[in-house]
């Protein structure tokens, strides 16, 4: 029997009983539990096989609840939250003393956002606790953007995936921390850098391992398909270098025929980066299940959401 269901009341009951429920958001599906239940939070880490040093994002129903989660809100954080919530922006701020250490991995900061999905907002409004929810994938695997992706990963581990359809944005939230009140991007994501800079001016991006990540999830190899993945700006050349391989091809707008290319997915025929981002992970899930030798992925233009997509693709394609 499928664990996918649209029944919000059932999700409320499970979460009140300290169980986990996978929830839809506009970015990716999250594996959610009560932030105050040690049992639920432990289960999140176990289910994902996620190391305990990697902290979780807290999801709240509205900006009015921010002061329950954090101890202070810098001016620019307030401005960003007012502009972009509900939405794909996660703020890392000084934590409120009542936030459990397990959530923050012992850090004195906590990550928090208001997701922009009607089903999950309705759910959060019926609970008297916030939800911790990392992406609903095993550690290092591709994030889920459809309920079926979560079911495939966790059908033996959780009782329910709350069905909210395919995720509109399809790539994780943009994470911003603060240093002396100034914003720093820890993870590029579904909210474009340019949109953030239009509100608060130039921001520093500090999401590379060499620079010492403040978001421990920013490991160099991450978000990976199991199939060897090559990222290239010259698709034709890369395909021609592998004539004897069974290739899956993922491109932005132009497909390319070659006898080595077994299947091919185009993300947006109109070069729309929003559309491409929303389809990226689903395309990787699909290609990763076709028993291919390699996946060749075209590098996206380095602007707007293209930057966020390239960030994920570089991690997916990283070779040791
Ligand atoms: O779009 C999203 O953000 C999704 C949906 C479900 O909301 N969630 C998500 O969670 O992507 P997760 O756990 O897969 O990624 C959260 C990232 C991790 O890289 C973690 O290290 C970082 O947020 N993070 C969490 N708390 C932090 C903190 N206090 N300081 C720095 N980074 C933090
Ligand atoms: Mg994740």
């Amino acid at each position: 029997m499928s664990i996918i269901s649209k029944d919000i009341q059932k999700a409320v009951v499970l979460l009140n009983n300290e169980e986990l429920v996978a929830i839809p958001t506009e970015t990716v599906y999250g594996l959610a539990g009560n932030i105050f239940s040690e049992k639920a939070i432990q289960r999140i880490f176990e289910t994902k096989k996620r190391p305990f040093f990697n902290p979780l994002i807290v999801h709240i129903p509205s900006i009015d609840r921010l002061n329950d989660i954090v101890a202070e809100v810098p001016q620019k954080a307030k401005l960003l939250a007012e502009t972009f919530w509900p939405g794909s922006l996660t703020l890392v701020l000084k934590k409120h003393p009542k936030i459990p250490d397990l959530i923050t991995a012992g850090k004195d900061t906590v990550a928090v956002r208001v997701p922009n999905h009607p089903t999950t907002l309705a759910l959060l409004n019926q609970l008297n606790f916030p939800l911790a929810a990392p992406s609903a994938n095993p550690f290092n695997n591709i994030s889920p953007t459809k309920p079926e992706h979560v079911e495939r990963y966790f059908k033996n581990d959780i009782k329910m995936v709350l069905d909210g359809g395919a995720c509109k944005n399809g790539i994780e939230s943009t994470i911003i921390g603060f240093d002396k009140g100034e914003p720093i991007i820890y993870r590029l994501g579904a909210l474009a850098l340019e949109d953030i800079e239009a509100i608060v001016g130039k921001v520093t991006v500090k999401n590379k391992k060499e620079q010492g990540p403040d978001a421990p999830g920013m490991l160099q190899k991450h978000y990976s398909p199991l199939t060897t993945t090559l990222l290239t700006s010259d698709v034709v050349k890369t395909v021609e270098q592998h004539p004897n391989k069974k290739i899956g091809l993922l491109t932005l707008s132009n497909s390319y025929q070659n006898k080595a290319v077994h299947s091919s997915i185009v993300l947006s025929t109109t070069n729309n980066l929003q559309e491409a981002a929303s389809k990226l992970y689903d395309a990787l899930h699909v290609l990763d299940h076709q028993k291919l030798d390699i996946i060749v992925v075209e590098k996206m233009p380095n602007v707007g959401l293209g930057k966020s997509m390239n960030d994920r693709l570089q991690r997916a394609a990283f070779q040791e």
Side-chain angles (χ1 to χ4, degrees), residues 9-79:
Q9 290 320 313
K10 185 177 163 189
V12 170
V13 171
L14 286 169
L15 290 163
N16 279 332
N17 283 330
E18 304 184 81
E19 306 252 14
L20 306 186
V21 173
I23 56 166
T25 82
E26 81 284 20
T27 58
V28 300
Y29 273 75
L31 184 63
N34 175 355
I35 66 162
F36 298 116
S37 161
E38 198 178 317
K39 181 181 157 203
I41 302 309
Q42 297 269 16
R43 282 283 321 280
I44 291 178
F45 283 97
E46 280 163 26
T47 306
K48 275 183 67 80
K49 300 197 169 50
R50 178 178 181 128
F52 280 96
F53 62 75
N54 200 348
L56 306 179
I57 299 179
V58 173
H59 296 69
I60 53 174
S62 78
I63 193 171
D64 306 340
R65 311 299 286 278
L66 184 58
N67 289 327
D68 303 342
I69 310 297
V70 307
E72 53 192 70
V73 185
Q75 193 49 39
K76 287 187 177 176
K78 185 161 180 275
L79 187 58

Side-chain angles (χ1 to χ4, degrees), residues 43 81 106 202 218 298:
R43 282 283 321 280
K202 195 96 193 116
M218 293 287 89
E298 181 178 26

Side-chain angles (χ1 to χ4, degrees), residues 25 27-30 48 50 54-57 59 90 92 107 109-111 113 133-135 172-173 175 186-187 214-218:
T25 82
T27 58
V28 300
Y29 273 75
K48 275 183 67 80
R50 178 178 181 128
N54 200 348
L56 306 179
I57 299 179
H59 296 69
T90 295
V92 173
K107 285 165 147 304
T109 53
V110 61
R113 80 178 188 104
S135 53
E172 297 85 350
S173 62
I175 302 183
Y186 294 156
R187 177 173 75 180
D214 286 284
M218 293 287 89

Side-chain angles (χ1 to χ4, degrees), residues 26-28 87-89 113 168-175 187-193 195-196 274 277 304-305 308-309 312:
E26 81 284 20
T27 58
V28 300
S88 308
L89 167 76
R113 80 178 188 104
K168 277 211 182 73
N169 293 347
I171 190 164
E172 297 85 350
S173 62
T174 302
I175 302 183
R187 177 173 75 180
L188 294 168
L191 182 63
L193 178 61
D195 293 343
I196 291 163
Q274 174 82 44
L305 294 181
S308 306
M309 293 167 78
R312 299 302 189 274

